[in-house]
Amino acid sequence: MKTNKFQNKYRIPSARATWWDYSSEGLYFITICTRNQETLFGEIESEQMILSQ
């Protein structure tokens, strides 16, 4: 059952490169932004990521 929950209110143009096949093998980097830049996922200490529980 497909719903029209957001009724196209929050659609933004895709940031994906149209020339790239994202199903191909490769390395990908993602950025996650949190509200008010809260530290939710861990901290960086001595150039190493220490994950939170």
Side-chain angles (χ1 to χ4, degrees), residues 1-2 5-7 10-12 14-16 20-22 25 28 35-36 41 44-46 48-49 52:
M1 178 178 170
K2 187 176 178 180
K5 185 175 182 178
F6 298 109
Q7 300 174 356
Y10 304 103
R11 293 292 298 167
I12 60 171
S14 176
R16 290 178 166 229
W20 182 254
D21 177 9
Y22 286 91
E25 187 175 321
Y28 297 92
R35 181 185 288 174
N36 299 322
F41 307 109
I44 298 175
E45 294 179 12
S46 301
Q48 277 206 300
M49 181 69 188
S52 61

